[in-house]
Amino acid sequence: METDEANVTGAPDFYAIEKKWQKMWRESKIFEAEPDERPKFFITIPYPYLNGNLHAGHTRTITIGDAVARYMRMNGYNVLFPMGYHVTGTPIIGLAERIANRDPETIEVYTKYHDVPLEDLLELNTPEKIVEYFSREATKALNSIGYSIDWRRVFTTMDEPYQKFIEWQYWKLKEKNLVAKGSHPVRYCPHDENPVEDHDLMKGENATIVDFTVIKLYGYDGGLIAFPCATLRPETIFGVTNIWINPAGKYVLAEVNGEKWVLSREAADKLVHQEKEVKVIEEVNPKDFIGKTVVNVVLAGMLADDLAEVLKATGSDIADLMEEIARFERREDRIAKVVENLDRVVEGLISSFSNLRKLCDGSKYEKELETLRMIVVPVLPADFVDTDNATGIVMSVPAHAPYDYVALKDLEKEVKNEAGLKDLEGLVKVKPIVLIRIEGENYEVPAVEVSEELGIKNQGEKELLDKATKIVYRKEFHKGVLLENTLYPGMPVSRVKDVLQKDLIDLGVGDVFYEFSEKPVVCRCGTKCVVKIVKDQWFLNYSRPDWKKKVFELLDRMKIIPEYYKEEFRNKVEWLKDKACARRKGLGTRIPWDREWLIESLSDSTIYMCYYILAKFINEGRLKAENITPELLDYVFLGTGDIESASRSSKLSAETVEEIRRDFEYWYPVDLRSSGKDLVANHLLFFLFHHVAIFPPELWPKAIAVNGYVSLEGKKMSKSKGPLLTMKRAVKENGADVTRMYILYASEYDSDADWRKKDVENLAHHLSRFYSLMKKYYTREPEGFKDFKSSAHLDRWLVSRMQRAIKETRDAMEKLQTRRAVNSAFFEVMNDVRWYLRRGGKNPQIIFDDWIKLLSPFAPHICEEIWHWKHSSFVSLEKYPEYDESRVDEIAEVAEEYIKELMNDIKEVLKFVDAKVVYIAPAEEWKKEVAKIALKAGNFGKAMKELMKDERWRGMSKEVSNFVKKVLKESKIVEVDEKRVIEESKDFLEKELGVKIAVDDSKIPEDKKKLAMPGKPAVYAE
RNA sequence: GCGGGGGUUGCCGAGCCAGGAAAAGGCGCAGGGCUUAAGACCCUGUCCCGAAGGGGUCCGCGGGUUCAAAUCCCGCCCCCCGCACCA
């Protein structure tokens, strides 16, 4: 029998095949790209960071890149696909230290998940050895999976020439004023005296740094004493009725930048790290301050008119001063003036207030007292104040903060009932000051109404209070607008914070206190972390509008895949702030003008794609670090300066310089950067920023593609905790082609791929089947097949279907939809071939050349192997199959579809009848009119309307409507010679169905005939 | 909270942008063929009902538009990711 030679061969030796072709490719240098007359395609994948072995995540991203590279190469492009290694930063150093210290956890993770043999691992006790080891391993892995990389361009970011390149880049940025010094808050461990990164944390990984606005209210006790109130809503300063202090807390009096502050003990400790000069004078008892009053300086300025009147009426000695202040037109100026005379104003106001109180509770100065009350507010006790949050002192704004309102109400009651609090009588009054209007809502005093709606009885009901707070804050933030009694009437609450914070600081009554959003934040060493302001850091000024504008321009013109990431990128550009780009610790390049700083790792990997051009010359030994001068790089990358100075400074011949320049001009810009989605908000963003900063628009990148992660059996992979699947292991266990195909087929775009052993094995079976098919048919002469035009129906069908697959695969690849591409190029063709063989096709090999080429970007080794059974060229360099409309035979396709449907119909019937013979007859000719009418009408609705006018059709509206749908989709159905098709397929149907088939309408009853329509013959079984 | 994405038949996952199939493909499961047997391979079935190719129900929930909605519109619920100085 002819069948069995294929099956017996069994599974091919993937491993041997892979090794063989990898060697052949390498020896033939077919992926080493040099400029020529072809159009070029420069594709890059972010170089991997080498603190471990490459894993399934890398495998996915790079396989996508390689499939595209191979696809483009087969489409006539001169493709450059290089790779390098990223080693900048601290993780490698940390790893070396942990290995040197024999850290058990590290050893476990690296032997268990990264597949590093223990004896090798223990050797890796310096960063250099780690880089050496993992780059070697990475190269092995990348080769073992068959990527078409031009290895002459490999490098690491520690290489001296690379550092020269980065120095040049940073000089360029400096020239353009895009790098500047500043300070920046970071998470910091006081014990280690170091900034703390995520993986160094024991607790609090989710904590972010929030900036509280500190607003100082002033008391007076022989001198000014500031009460720094911390708030996230500085606008509420206009509605303060009192301030809160925790009577049970530990507080200190300290000199902060020369001013006396009352603040919590913790706060004083924290401020030391926040660029403040802090000298603790003494511990103080918070209860001593309760009942004392403090001055709201902002309001004092704003209400200077009223104050002046009050002070005059009550004979205060600062009445004149206040009048003077009131003469200023602008509120800001008044406040400034108050601050200028802070000492006198505060003392004067406080003593006036206290005099007036003693003098006249409830008598003739009632109104004046009320005015003063708004500005001179009491310090009151509150348990809910957290001394470990910011300063430990907060403002009370009962109109807009449910906690404040409810606590005040409680306190009011207590004052009446408890003897110990009698001092506070007259000071505790619940009189909320409203400063925000919420658009579209009817609140008078939001905090009061919301608290009442929720039925909050006292401050013990924390849950409800939190809920109320959330409601009020949310509504006010989104729909709130400031009222007349504020500094910015009409301004939305959502916008006021930054403005006001800055104003208050400028006026001298404000400050910033950085605090964690969640607590505690604990370092691995067990110490509680603080926020530290790092001074004199170098920053990349990403927030500059002119810089961003250019990035937006780039985004507009570039292609982002998938498309909706363009919007995501825009948002991220908008959101990006200045970024500290200097570090004290780590591997990398020093800032050339300030050598105590290292350039941070995300900042030295932004335009390095152009370094691949240099790398070839460097690896050839033609270019050394000392040759890489600014003049050289200006000339070869930017075309500025001149060849003479480039040549002179670099000590390279003019020819060499020109050669590098030509290479660069040929290859640049980057045509596609394909990356995992984790790099969107950082690396890819910086990639865009730096390109627009340094290169002219014609050298800006053309496209970015983003792909999702890989999980293992549904579990997230983790480099540091496992599970992890290394590229090496995946290839070793499954073979390169299986690994590649699986990862490409597992999912699309940014959705995550799940690596499932079972599915992977199954794919391997599919590939083996493919190989067997090839083995059986590929080299065989086709029977009775000369060319497409004259061939038999089934052969034409197969060729036609192949055209569909080609079109679909190409379309998918153009959009980087590898899943769809593999599906059509592999699975769908496979199904067609199977159907073809089942139908008795003898010549599947007529499409095999195309099929092998079609699959070659995805499973290059096996394709190369099979291809060589018949050809001596590399399939990797062949022309990718082109969709050829002249080889599409719609009628053949429709006819096959017809047979499939007929078979299903008969099968359905046979389910219910135990028949020996099935009679089939195509519908009567006249029914084809339906098709004509339907096609003329063009759409379903019109067609049905038209047809139902004819009474012949009315009795069978159901059948007609089904047919109309069909004919509108496959118009060729009417051109099929049904009778002939059935006759030709008779043997097939009989074999498949196990019954006798007869084309004979005389045996078919009328009611069955009625059901027939073109494309759906009458069937009768008996 | 802000921003981006998403909820499809046992599972994974297409389809939705350009309305008109119980809804591709894979996995799993069941049955049959092949085989001494296992594996591999091939075929069939896999929402419910049905002794004739049919009918019913279905794509997070609730409305709406339409001859027709998984697909368009409105409201709601739920899930994932990013929010940084870390590669």
Side-chain angles (χ1 to χ4, degrees):
Chain A
M1 275 210 338
E2 58 166 44
T3 45
D4 282 359
E5 66 221 273
N7 269 353
V8 280
T9 41
D13 184 350
F14 286 124
Y15 187 76
I17 290 171
E18 284 159 12
K19 285 288 155 258
K20 174 173 156 196
W21 292 106
Q22 283 159 12
K23 185 160 170 264
M24 294 290 269
W25 292 332
R26 191 165 54 244
E27 286 170 358
S28 324
K29 302 177 189 298
I30 60 172
F31 304 131
E32 296 183 2
E34 288 296 336
D36 60 25
E37 65 295 333
R38 287 175 296 168
K40 63 93 182 180
F41 187 77
F42 185 20
I43 175 171
T44 67
I45 311 290
Y47 44 27
Y49 185 75
L50 290 183
N51 64 339
N53 272 319
L54 301 185
H55 52 71
H58 297 112
T59 308
R60 178 165 181 203
T61 305
I62 310 178
T63 302
I64 292 170
D66 187 58
V68 172
R70 286 174 174 276
Y71 171 77
M72 292 305 279
R73 201 176 282 118
M74 292 177 76
N75 272 301
Y77 287 88
N78 188 9
V79 173
L80 174 56
F81 178 31
M83 190 54 70
Y85 298 119
H86 196 207
V87 303
T88 310
T90 52
I92 287 178
I93 292 184
L95 178 61
E97 282 167 8
R98 292 201 301 279
I99 291 173
N101 297 335
R102 298 284 193 269
D103 173 56
E105 202 184 316
T106 304
I107 288 172
E108 195 196 323
V109 165
Y110 274 80
T111 51
K112 190 166 159 196
Y113 296 120
H114 287 263
D115 298 329
V116 181
L118 183 63
E119 63 273 22
D120 290 355
L121 184 70
L122 296 179
E123 293 294 311
L124 307 180
N125 52 11
T126 68
E128 291 73 20
K129 285 186 196 165
I130 287 179
V131 170
E132 214 271 318
Y133 178 83
F134 283 122
S135 61
R136 204 174 54 229
E137 287 299 310
T139 303
K140 265 199 255 170
L142 294 170
N143 275 320
S144 76
I145 196 168
Y147 294 144
S148 57
I149 291 170
D150 182 350
W151 282 106
R152 299 170 304 158
R153 299 165 191 273
V154 71
F155 65 89
T156 82
T157 56
M158 282 198 328
D159 299 349
E160 220 189 317
Y162 188 82
Q163 299 194 13
K164 292 280 185 200
F165 161 73
I166 296 298
E167 284 179 17
W168 170 80
Q169 179 187 351
Y170 273 77
W171 278 120
K172 289 287 133 197
L173 295 169
K174 183 104 193 302
E175 274 168 31
K176 291 165 198 271
N177 277 325
L178 299 174
V179 197
K181 266 192 173 180
S183 10
H184 184 69
V186 296
R187 215 160 40 191
Y188 184 84
C189 171
H191 175 264
D192 295 351
E193 298 184 356
N194 238 327
V196 190
E197 292 157 17
D198 262 1
H199 55 266
D200 289 331
L201 281 176
M202 206 154 83
K203 238 181 185 172
E205 285 175 46
N206 291 325
T208 55
I209 295 173
V210 285
D211 56 325
F212 281 84
T213 305
V214 170
I215 306 177
K216 292 175 282 188
L217 278 74
Y218 285 94
Y220 198 87
D221 183 14
L224 287 172
I225 301 179
F227 288 77
C229 301
T231 178
L232 291 171
R233 304 186 58 194
E235 71 278 10
T236 54
I237 184 65
F238 307 111
V240 171
T241 61
N242 62 283
I243 66 175
W244 299 114
I245 195 165
N246 189 333
K250 283 206 166 104
Y251 285 83
V252 296
L253 180 67
E255 206 176 285
V256 178
N257 285 5
E259 204 176 40
K260 276 186 189 160
W261 285 22
V262 172
L263 73 174
S264 75
R265 173 93 239 176
E266 290 106 316
D269 293 342
K270 289 174 193 169
L271 274 182
V272 173
H273 300 285
Q274 298 190 15
E275 279 194 293
K276 291 275 189 289
E277 195 75 37
V278 182
K279 231 178 353 190
V280 174
I281 298 166
E282 57 182 345
E283 240 176 66
V284 290
N285 183 351
K287 288 181 183 148
D288 294 344
F289 297 107
I290 292 168
K292 295 267 165 48
T293 53
V294 293
V295 173
N296 181 343
V297 174
V298 175
L299 274 192
M302 287 178 57
L303 300 178
D305 293 313
D306 301 339
L307 275 183
E309 248 172 67
V310 171
L311 293 173
K312 212 166 165 187
T314 58
S316 163
D317 53 3
I318 60 160
D320 292 349
L321 174 60
M322 200 48 78
E323 261 187 339
E324 200 187 305
I325 291 169
R327 277 201 285 275
F328 284 95
E329 196 54 41
R330 295 176 56 238
R331 289 162 157 180
E332 292 87 336
D333 294 337
R334 295 180 177 187
I335 300 168
K337 198 74 187 164
V338 170
V339 174
E340 210 173 284
N341 299 281
L342 199 56
D343 223 317
R344 283 183 65 202
V345 173
V346 171
E347 196 212 342
L349 286 175
I350 287 178
S351 61
S352 281
F353 179 70
S354 108
N355 290 341
L356 215 52
R357 261 187 78 209
K358 273 183 230 145
L359 208 109
C360 65
D361 250 356
S363 70
K364 77 174 207 189
Y365 289 119
E366 188 68 32
K367 226 183 104 211
E368 284 77 0
L369 192 59
E370 277 315 301
T371 304
L372 269 179
R373 240 184 232 293
M374 295 178 66
I375 291 134
V376 182
V377 298
V379 180
L380 297 176
D383 300 331
F384 64 77
V385 174
D386 180 0
T387 55
D388 193 22
N389 192 32
T391 56
I393 299 197
V394 297
M395 311 188 291
S396 168
V397 189
H400 302 285
Y403 263 103
D404 294 341
Y405 167 68
V406 175
L408 264 181
K409 245 179 40 177
D410 284 355
L411 193 59
E412 199 177 33
K413 271 183 237 153
E414 285 171 36
V415 168
K416 275 190 194 125
N417 303 335
E418 286 175 42
L421 292 167
K422 282 287 178 213
D423 291 357
L424 295 179
E425 220 172 325
L427 279 175
V428 181
K429 285 204 171 162
V430 186
K431 269 201 99 177
I433 302 168
V434 176
L435 59 123
I436 292 165
R437 178 184 75 246
I438 304 176
E439 301 281 12
E441 307 257 1
N442 289 325
Y443 291 109
E444 297 257 327
V445 190
V448 176
E449 284 151 83
V450 172
S451 299
E452 280 164 5
E453 274 166 31
L454 294 179
I456 299 171
K457 292 186 196 67
N458 58 57
Q459 53 187 316
E461 300 183 299
K462 271 207 73 169
E463 244 170 66
L464 282 177
L465 275 166
D466 285 339
K467 191 172 164 195
T469 303
K470 223 173 156 183
I471 293 172
V472 173
Y473 277 29
R474 191 184 305 164
K475 285 190 174 171
E476 291 186 346
F477 185 81
H478 293 295
K479 295 186 279 184
V481 173
L482 298 192
L483 296 174
E484 274 306 313
N485 57 346
T486 67
L487 215 44
Y488 295 101
M491 185 181 279
V493 172
S494 55
R495 278 182 31 219
V496 76
K497 180 186 166 180
D498 293 341
V499 184
L500 198 57
Q501 186 182 72
K502 185 176 175 301
D503 284 354
L504 294 170
I505 292 170
D506 290 348
L507 287 165
V509 291
D511 219 313
V512 176
F513 194 114
Y514 294 102
E515 186 60 274
F516 294 122
S517 63
E518 262 173 45
K519 269 171 281 196
V521 177
V522 184
C523 178
R524 265 200 189 174
C525 74
T527 313
K528 226 157 78 171
C529 295
V530 296
V531 179
K532 179 174 172 73
I533 294 180
V534 179
K535 285 204 290 191
D536 293 335
Q537 272 262 45
W538 287 99
F539 279 79
L540 285 163
N541 297 138
Y542 289 132
S543 58
R544 275 178 56 161
D546 53 338
W547 200 352
K548 289 191 176 184
K549 198 172 153 238
K550 276 174 130 181
V551 178
F552 284 125
E553 273 167 40
L554 168 56
L555 270 174
D556 278 345
R557 56 201 267 179
M558 87 186 294
K559 193 168 164 187
I560 306 283
I561 303 167
E563 263 171 42
Y564 52 76
Y565 267 79
K566 190 172 271 200
E567 189 59 24
E568 176 82 347
F569 270 109
R570 285 206 189 96
N571 293 336
K572 297 296 178 201
V573 170
E574 193 99 37
W575 149 94
L576 191 66
K577 297 194 192 117
D578 291 352
K579 178 185 157 63
C581 62
R583 285 301 112 86
R584 293 272 157 180
K585 218 180 131 182
L587 298 176
T589 305
R590 294 187 177 279
I591 291 187
W593 60 85
D594 190 357
R595 297 214 156 251
E596 54 186 292
W597 291 100
L598 284 153
I599 293 163
E600 174 274 338
S601 69
L602 288 171
S603 305
D604 81 338
S605 57
T606 58
I607 58 161
Y608 70 90
M609 307 83 215
C610 64
Y611 183 80
Y612 286 121
I613 312 298
L614 301 182
K616 187 193 84 185
F617 293 91
I618 292 162
N619 292 341
E620 283 172 349
R622 295 170 67 191
L623 187 60
K624 300 202 158 45
E626 64 262 29
N627 304 122
I628 299 175
T629 59
E631 290 81 359
L632 175 73
L633 297 186
D634 280 353
Y635 185 75
V636 300
F637 287 154
L638 302 175
T640 59
D642 55 86
I643 177 80
E644 287 77 31
S645 59
S647 169
R648 195 180 334 114
S649 76
S650 66
K651 304 199 176 68
L652 294 172
S653 69
E655 292 75 55
T656 305
V657 175
E658 287 298 3
E659 199 185 335
I660 302 173
R661 170 75 181 148
R662 271 200 308 275
D663 273 16
F664 175 77
E665 284 189 296
Y666 180 77
W667 292 116
Y668 234 65
V670 172
D671 293 289
L672 174 66
R673 186 152 183 85
S674 185
S675 158
K677 63 183 174 186
D678 49 328
L679 300 186
V680 170
N682 42 70
H683 164 72
L684 290 172
L685 218 46
F686 307 150
F687 163 69
L688 300 179
F689 269 86
H690 286 244
H691 268 88
V692 304
I694 288 178
F695 293 109
E698 61 274 17
L699 297 179
W700 292 355
K702 298 284 184 213
I704 285 179
V706 173
N707 60 263
Y709 306 122
V710 179
S711 56
L712 296 180
E713 310 291 343
K715 283 202 197 74
K716 240 177 121 168
M717 278 202 303
S718 161
K719 262 180 163 183
S720 58
K721 287 181 207 127
L724 193 77
L725 174 68
T726 59
M727 186 185 284
K728 204 164 63 174
R729 181 192 287 262
V731 171
K732 197 175 157 203
E733 288 178 357
N734 308 287
D737 286 337
V738 172
T739 303
R740 297 170 59 112
M741 284 257 273
Y742 183 82
I743 208 84
L744 292 172
Y745 179 68
S747 78
E748 200 109 279
Y749 284 159
D750 64 328
S751 57
D752 297 344
D754 192 23
W755 182 277
R756 281 188 269 176
K757 208 160 191 284
K758 188 89 199 177
D759 289 14
V760 177
E761 281 165 7
N762 204 270
L763 182 71
H765 293 150
H766 280 284
L767 257 188
S768 292
R769 193 200 293 175
F770 169 73
Y771 185 85
S772 305
L773 265 175
M774 287 291 161
K775 191 107 194 159
K776 184 168 169 188
Y777 292 104
Y778 187 39
T779 55
R780 197 183 282 184
E781 259 326 293
E783 290 171 39
F785 177 87
K786 281 206 284 295
D787 56 67
F788 176 66
K789 284 231 149 51
S790 63
S791 59
H793 158 80
L794 209 53
D795 291 344
R796 292 169 66 85
W797 175 80
L798 187 63
V799 171
S800 185
R801 292 288 300 169
M802 189 58 179
Q803 299 313 309
R804 307 277 182 198
I806 292 168
K807 194 175 181 196
E808 174 81 1
T809 306
R810 278 184 164 273
D811 186 60
M813 284 308 284
E814 295 299 326
K815 295 172 181 156
L816 263 83
Q817 294 176 303
T818 60
R819 181 190 167 89
R820 209 178 117 218
V822 170
N823 197 47
S824 65
F826 187 66
F827 291 101
E828 281 181 9
V829 176
M830 182 65 91
N831 282 343
D832 286 342
V833 169
R834 279 158 72 185
W835 174 255
Y836 171 87
L837 292 173
R838 188 175 165 195
R839 285 277 279 124
K842 295 272 190 273
N843 305 314
Q845 65 272 40
I846 56 179
I847 60 158
F848 281 5
D849 270 351
D850 276 347
W851 198 11
I852 295 164
K853 288 192 271 189
L854 204 61
L855 275 180
S856 149
F858 317 121
H861 306 90
I862 202 169
C863 289
E864 201 69 85
E865 170 76 12
I866 295 166
W867 182 255
H868 279 259
W869 296 343
K870 266 181 85 169
H871 308 271
S872 54
S873 57
F874 283 110
V875 70
S876 304
L877 301 179
E878 281 295 315
K879 185 97 192 70
Y880 207 66
E882 205 88 57
Y883 171 68
D884 179 355
E885 195 155 10
S886 73
R887 290 159 75 84
V888 171
D889 184 338
E890 274 190 63
I891 293 181
E893 291 187 41
V894 171
E896 271 319 282
E897 209 45 46
Y898 177 81
I899 292 297
K900 277 185 197 174
E901 281 171 26
L902 175 59
M903 200 166 104
N904 281 335
D905 272 359
I906 297 173
K907 220 182 269 170
E908 186 77 17
V909 171
L910 290 178
K911 257 168 48 181
F912 302 100
V913 190
D914 190 16
K916 296 246 163 21
V917 188
V918 173
Y919 298 94
I920 308 172
E924 294 99 322
E925 266 311 296
W926 58 270
K927 286 188 176 170
K928 288 199 174 171
E929 259 178 66
V930 175
K932 279 191 207 131
I933 294 167
L935 287 171
K936 205 173 139 208
N939 75 54
F940 183 79
K942 271 194 207 153
M944 286 308 281
K945 236 172 245 164
E946 190 60 34
L947 286 162
M948 286 306 121
K949 285 180 191 159
D950 188 328
E951 59 185 69
R952 278 184 306 168
W953 307 121
R954 272 192 218 139
M956 48 179 80
S957 64
K958 177 94 198 156
E959 289 74 29
V960 170
S961 75
N962 277 334
F963 176 62
V964 168
K965 267 187 218 163
K966 188 168 175 174
V967 84
L968 286 172
K969 221 169 97 189
E970 322 172 346
S971 57
K972 296 279 181 202
I973 188 72
V974 283
E975 292 173 38
V976 173
D977 181 346
E978 296 184 44
K979 202 156 177 177
R980 213 191 86 209
V981 170
I982 300 166
E983 290 288 1
E984 277 176 5
S985 321
K986 214 173 118 182
D987 292 347
F988 170 71
L989 290 172
E990 288 184 345
K991 196 178 110 218
E992 289 282 330
L993 298 164
V995 290
K996 192 119 187 61
I997 300 288
V999 182
D1000 181 355
D1001 72 338
S1002 66
K1003 298 278 186 182
I1004 302 176
E1006 267 316 304
D1007 62 321
K1008 299 297 177 208
K1009 274 191 195 167
K1010 210 181 109 187
L1011 290 172
M1013 287 301 289
K1016 187 179 173 66
V1019 170
Y1020 179 67
E1022 73 173 17

